Amino acid sequence: MSTPPLPYQDTELNINKIEEEAFRLICVIKPHWATKKLTYKKLTDDVSNSLLGMFPTSTDNSDKDIKHGLVCKVYGNNSDLIIDREKEIRVMVELAQHQFANQILLKFKNGFFYGYVPGKPIDCKLVRDERISLLIARRLAEFHSVTSKLEFLQDNHIKFSQLSERLRHYFNLLNGTNPEIHKRLPVASTEGLLNTPTTPSSFFSAVKQFFGYSPPLTLDKIEDVMNYKLTNIDNEIKQIDIILKNKWSYIQMVNCHHGTQCQNFLYDEKLQQINIIDFEHCMFNYWLCDITNHFIEFAGLSNPDWSLYPNRTFQKRWLKTYLQYAEFLPEYIRLKSGGINKLKPTDIELECLCDLIGKLIAPCHLYWALWAFVEGLLNQSSTTFDYSAYGKMRFQQYLAHKETFLTSLVVEEPKEVITKF
């Protein structure tokens, strides 16, 4: 079923005047707000976009104000090279039809407005709370289960995991073979990479370096920063692609969120439920990959502590709840020659799933490492987030785990006999 085109305004919002300019556009879709006093709130710690909550204030019911609030999302600089924005919008439009995203109300050149999603962002402490963690497991399973109803997946006839395709896209930006990167770098350079010391951007870059931020990232310095040859990464992405297609094809694929860090899950205390936000990294991929990403993100964003990766007891409890609500999975989950009864999994069967989740740690780290380096290359002079340092941390984790994945040409079965079909 095709959806009508979204309202569009041919204008670009200035991030430095976001409240004033967002209010002007809001009056196009909510003209009755023109006479209302609005409350503004910066939402989340999103490092690559700006999210502004807008709420009509009243004296009678603050919950009602929040319920009818809007969010203005302004894309990060050069983000169209990193994210397929038209696909993001189509994903959100279709997910809204199934109550997994709020409706997009208006598009503009560098962003869009959508309905406010209530809830408190989950942090690294709350995500380990047993009750909250099981609510997340349930909601992620429900999110994956809506895959068969999404028309954009059927239209594109996607048959394989898109993870290696995304890795290749980021890699081609970093090695300079994507011609678009050269069109953008001169702009980035004039904003702080190659400016004279008297410009404000250069001063900003100098201040950041004084306080310990990484020096500006350039194409010719990528290998130095990574301390790794790009040819090696090229070969390893090829290996990842082969392994995913040939050795993991028995695992069901779904519309993965892929950005399953803690803050993209919101806890609605009033309704005792979890809401999911931020769908720009969605891709068709193995359902286990979203879970791996989520467990990795227990480490946090600003100063990751990788030791916070959940232990097997936590993982198995989480997986039991996930399997219970994963309607897309058959009663018996195929694991090569055997299967798992998803409603009554044995401990050894859950251990097998934990092993598989662990094997995916490396490609998940590589995805976010390459993403961070691309962001750092394009936007380091205009942000307070140290993309280069973050990329190096994620890349080191990729190196630490890569052999576990690259040697998984054969995914082992548990030694004990598991449930048969």
Side-chain angles (χ1 to χ4, degrees):
M1 180 181 66
S2 61
T3 56
L6 294 169
Y8 176 74
Q9 288 286 308
D10 189 23
T11 187
E12 185 170 322
L13 264 62
N14 183 337
I15 190 63
N16 297 318
K17 300 178 181 179
I18 186 171
E19 292 185 10
E20 174 186 337
E21 297 194 358
F23 178 77
R24 175 175 54 81
L25 284 184
I26 277 296
C27 292
V28 175
I29 51 177
K30 287 187 175 290
H32 60 286
W33 277 23
T35 58
K36 291 181 177 291
K37 180 180 178 181
L38 300 186
T39 300
Y40 300 94
K41 180 181 179 182
K42 181 181 178 182
L43 302 174
T44 78
D45 293 321
D46 196 318
V47 297
S48 55
N49 305 290
S50 294
L51 301 176
L52 179 71
M54 308 174 68
F55 310 94
T57 56
S58 62
T59 57
D60 54 353
N61 191 336
S62 58
D63 287 341
K64 182 179 179 181
D65 295 338
I66 291 176
K67 181 179 179 181
H68 295 289
L70 296 178
V71 176
C72 176
K73 177 174 182 175
V74 179
Y75 304 144
N77 190 35
N78 290 312
S79 66
D80 59 305
L81 272 186
I82 302 170
I83 300 296
D84 184 339
R85 293 301 184 184
E86 288 304 313
K87 178 185 174 183
E88 175 193 7
I89 288 173
R90 183 170 181 186
V91 168
M92 286 189 66
V93 168
E94 290 199 33
L95 287 174
Q97 296 172 359
H98 303 286
Q99 290 73 55
F100 279 93
N102 275 9
Q103 183 180 3
I104 294 178
L105 302 173
L106 177 71
K107 295 194 301 178
F108 50 93
K109 279 186 176 180
N110 61 331
F112 56 86
F113 289 89
Y114 63 96
Y116 175 74
V117 182
K120 174 185 178 181
I122 301 298
D123 58 25
C124 293
K125 181 179 181 180
L126 198 56
V127 75
R128 307 183 76 83
D129 178 89
E130 181 173 349
R131 185 174 61 87
I132 299 296
S133 68
L134 299 186
L135 286 175
I136 292 174
R138 172 178 178 170
R139 192 57 174 167
L140 189 58
E142 293 170 341
F143 176 81
H144 288 163
S145 296
V146 80
T147 295
S148 62
K149 302 176 183 178
L150 300 177
E151 292 182 5
F152 76 89
L153 288 176
Q154 316 307 322
D155 293 346
N156 293 329
H157 306 291
I158 303 171
K159 296 181 180 180
F160 301 107
S161 164
Q162 294 180 306
L163 179 57
S164 54
E165 176 186 319
R166 295 286 188 90
L167 291 173
R168 176 62 57 189
H169 173 64
Y170 291 158
F171 178 76
N172 288 342
L173 289 170
L174 291 173
N175 71 4
T177 58
N178 185 328
E180 288 298 318
I181 194 73
H182 301 284
K183 298 177 184 178
R184 308 297 179 91
L185 283 180
V187 175
S189 297
T190 59
E191 292 178 353
L193 295 180
L194 300 176
N195 279 345
T196 62
T198 58
T199 64
S201 295
S202 286
F203 176 75
F204 182 36
S205 296
V207 170
K208 292 205 305 181
Q209 291 182 50
F210 178 79
F211 285 103
Y213 282 80
S214 303
L217 189 62
T218 56
L219 276 177
D220 61 334
K221 295 294 183 182
I222 295 294
E223 287 190 339
D224 292 339
V225 171
M226 301 176 75
N227 194 26
Y228 208 71
K229 293 293 184 182
L230 288 175
T231 52
N232 291 341
I233 299 176
D234 186 16
N235 291 331
E236 287 164 17
I237 291 176
K238 291 175 182 176
Q239 292 181 61
I240 289 171
D241 185 47
I242 292 171
I243 293 171
L244 288 176
K245 288 180 178 177
N246 297 335
K247 302 302 177 182
W248 287 74
S249 59
Y250 63 91
I251 303 292
Q252 283 89 341
M253 286 192 287
V254 297
N255 177 47
C256 279
H257 183 281
H258 204 71
T260 47
Q261 54 259 50
C262 300
Q263 64 266 31
N264 284 336
F265 295 97
L266 306 181
Y267 174 52
D268 187 333
E269 187 174 7
K270 184 177 181 180
L271 297 180
Q272 294 292 296
Q273 69 179 26
I274 293 292
N275 293 315
I276 302 176
I277 59 171
D278 193 359
F279 304 98
E280 61 184 30
H281 289 276
C282 281
M283 69 176 74
F284 197 53
N285 199 6
Y286 304 110
W287 60 277
L288 291 171
C289 201
D290 252 358
I291 298 174
T292 303
N293 256 311
H294 181 55
F295 289 165
I296 290 173
E297 296 293 348
F298 280 37
L301 182 64
S302 298
N303 187 25
D305 180 354
W306 308 116
S307 69
L308 295 178
Y309 189 89
N311 61 33
R312 287 296 177 101
T313 300
F314 183 101
Q315 291 181 52
K316 288 185 285 187
R317 183 173 63 240
W318 195 100
L319 283 166
K320 280 184 178 180
T321 296
Y322 177 92
L323 295 174
Q324 181 183 350
Y325 291 96
E327 294 182 2
F328 72 94
L329 290 172
E331 181 180 356
Y332 288 95
I333 306 168
R334 182 187 172 199
L335 287 182
K336 296 180 78 65
S337 60
I340 293 177
N341 183 335
K342 71 173 185 178
L343 297 181
K344 295 180 181 179
T346 66
D347 188 72
I348 192 64
E349 291 167 356
L350 291 172
E351 286 282 346
C352 180
L353 285 180
C354 292
D355 289 341
L356 292 173
I357 289 168
K359 290 178 184 294
L360 290 168
I361 289 176
C364 290
H365 274 301
L366 181 60
Y367 178 91
W368 290 109
L370 297 184
W371 166 85
F373 287 132
V374 173
E375 286 277 7
L377 189 65
L378 292 168
N379 301 315
Q380 189 164 339
S381 64
S382 59
T383 179
T384 57
F385 186 78
D386 194 339
Y387 286 111
S388 293
Y390 184 73
K392 285 191 285 187
M393 286 188 288
R394 295 299 295 250
F395 190 70
Q396 287 302 312
Q397 287 300 305
Y398 162 70
L399 294 178
H401 293 277
K402 74 169 186 173
E403 290 306 317
T404 302
F405 180 80
L406 295 179
T407 57
S408 64
L409 294 177
V410 178
V411 181
E412 299 85 357
E413 298 286 350
K415 293 182 179 179
E416 299 183 22
V417 176
I418 64 175
T419 309
K420 300 295 181 182
F421 286 108

